[in-house]
Amino acid sequence: MERSLHTPKYFAVCNLAIVDVCSSTAIIPKLIDTFLFDSQFIRYEACLANMCFVLFFSSLQSLILVALAYDRFVAICFPLRYHTIITKTSMVVIIAVMWAIAALMAIIPIFLLTRLSFCRSIVINSYFCDHGPAFRLACNDNSPNFIMGTLGTTIFFVAPVAVIALSYVCIIFALLKIATQEERLKAMKTCTSHLIMVAIFYLPICATYIAALSSTIHPNARIINTSLACVIPPMLNPIIYSLKTEEIMSAIKKLHRKRNKLNSHGTEE
C-alpha cells in the first residue's frame, strides 16, 4: 500500500469508508425490499437490530466528518504544530472514542424502546425502523425515548454542524492572513473534498428539519429526503476523496506507472 497514505488523516478516511459500506449494508437492502418489492412487514427483533445498526453507522458518519474537520483546522490554523497535534495515536484515540459514543447512543434507544407497549398502530412511517416514528406509536410513557432522541439529534447533528462551521470560520480567518492568493487557494484546495462531503451529508437533513419546523412536511417527502441523505453520501464519498485529494491521485498515478512498467517488461521478454 502507498506509504504516503499512512497518515492520521487517511486513518479517519479509511474509517469513514468502512462506515459508509456498513451504513449502506444496513439501509439499502430494506430500502430495496420496501420500494421495489412493496414489502411492508418486518419482525420485531429484526426491526430493533435494523434500528440499532442504522443509528450507529449514521451517527458515526457524522462524528468522523467532525474528526476530518478537526484535521483540516489544525493543518491550516496551526501548520507548524500539525505533526505534533495530529499523530497516529491521537487520531486512533479520537476515532475509538467516537465509535464508543456512537455504540452507546445506538444501544440506549433500543433498550428504552423494549419497555414500550404498542397497542394501537404498528405501522412505522419510514423506510427503515426509525426510532422517532417507532416510539411515537407507544401507548405508555415514551418521554425517555423523546429525551434520548433529542439528545441524539443534538450530539450527532446539531453539535457536529456547529463544530464544523466554527472550524471553517477559523480556517477562513487563517487563510485571510496568508499573503499570496496562490497560497490561499492551495490551502483551501485541501478542504474541498471534506466540504463537499459535509454538504452532501448534512444539507438534505437540514432541509428536512427546516421544512418540518416551518410547515407540515408530508411523510413521503421526509422519507425520500432522508433516504437520499443516507444512500447518496456513501456512494459519493470514495469518488470525492479519490478525485479531489492530491495524495490519492498521486498514489493512483504511481500505481498506474508501475503497472505500465511491468507490462512493458513482460512484452519485451
Side-chain angles (χ1 to χ4, degrees):
M1 192 174 177
E2 182 63 37
R3 297 296 302 176
S4 63
L5 302 181
H6 292 191
T7 61
K9 175 186 173 182
Y10 289 105
F11 176 74
V13 171
C14 178
N15 269 267
L16 182 62
I18 292 167
V19 171
D20 284 341
V21 171
C22 295
S23 177
S24 299
T25 306
I27 293 170
I28 291 175
K30 189 58 192 168
L31 195 66
I32 293 170
D33 195 34
T34 302
F35 287 107
L36 292 186
F37 300 105
D38 199 29
S39 174
Q40 306 294 325
F41 176 78
I42 186 170
R43 290 176 62 86
Y44 179 69
E45 294 80 7
C47 181
L48 293 180
N50 178 254
M51 186 185 297
C52 184
F53 285 121
V54 172
L55 288 175
F56 175 61
F57 291 118
S58 299
S59 304
L60 206 46
Q61 278 178 305
S62 185
L63 291 178
I64 293 174
L65 287 174
V66 175
L68 289 169
Y70 174 63
D71 174 86
R72 292 300 83 207
F73 166 74
V74 176
I76 294 174
C77 296
F78 306 99
L80 300 177
R81 296 176 59 195
Y82 176 77
H83 292 291
T84 57
I85 297 172
I86 307 291
T87 62
K88 286 183 181 179
T89 305
S90 66
M91 187 58 77
V92 167
V93 171
I94 289 168
I95 298 297
V97 169
M98 287 178 172
W99 276 76
I101 292 169
L104 183 67
M105 293 297 288
I107 291 167
I108 293 173
I110 308 303
F111 172 75
L112 292 173
L113 202 69
T114 57
R115 54 173 284 281
L116 298 178
S117 299
F118 301 94
C119 53
R120 294 192 295 271
S121 174
I122 54 170
V123 177
I124 299 172
N125 290 320
S126 185
Y127 62 97
F128 72 100
C129 288
D130 199 345
H131 177 251
F135 81 75
R136 287 182 176 87
L137 297 173
C139 302
N140 54 337
D141 180 28
N142 61 12
S143 55
N145 296 80
F146 175 78
I147 293 166
M148 200 65 210
T150 306
L151 184 64
T153 303
T154 305
I155 293 172
F156 298 120
F157 176 68
V158 178
V161 169
V163 170
I164 291 169
L166 184 61
S167 69
Y168 275 101
V169 168
C170 296
I171 285 169
I172 289 166
F173 279 112
L175 290 174
L176 292 174
K177 294 177 183 178
I178 297 173
T180 63
Q181 185 74 15
E182 187 181 344
E183 288 297 317
R184 287 180 194 171
L185 290 173
K186 188 178 177 181
M188 196 62 202
K189 273 180 71 177
T190 64
C191 301
T192 52
S193 54
H194 180 255
L195 280 170
I196 293 167
M197 288 196 303
V198 167
I200 291 169
F201 185 79
Y202 288 112
L203 284 180
I205 304 171
C206 281
T208 304
Y209 274 107
I210 292 166
L213 290 172
S214 59
S215 61
T216 304
I217 185 169
H218 195 277
N220 289 344
R222 183 184 66 82
I223 288 167
I224 291 167
N225 208 8
T226 51
S227 62
L228 290 174
C230 290
V231 172
I232 292 175
M235 290 167 49
L236 296 182
N237 285 350
I239 300 168
I240 293 164
Y241 250 104
S242 297
L243 298 179
K244 285 286 183 181
T245 307
E246 190 176 337
E247 294 94 335
I248 292 178
M249 287 302 293
S250 300
I252 292 168
K253 286 174 185 176
K254 281 182 185 178
L255 185 63
H256 184 64
R257 281 196 294 267
K258 283 180 183 178
R259 284 185 176 177
N260 284 342
K261 284 180 182 178
L262 289 171
N263 289 336
S264 62
H265 285 312
T267 52
E268 286 172 8
E269 290 174 2

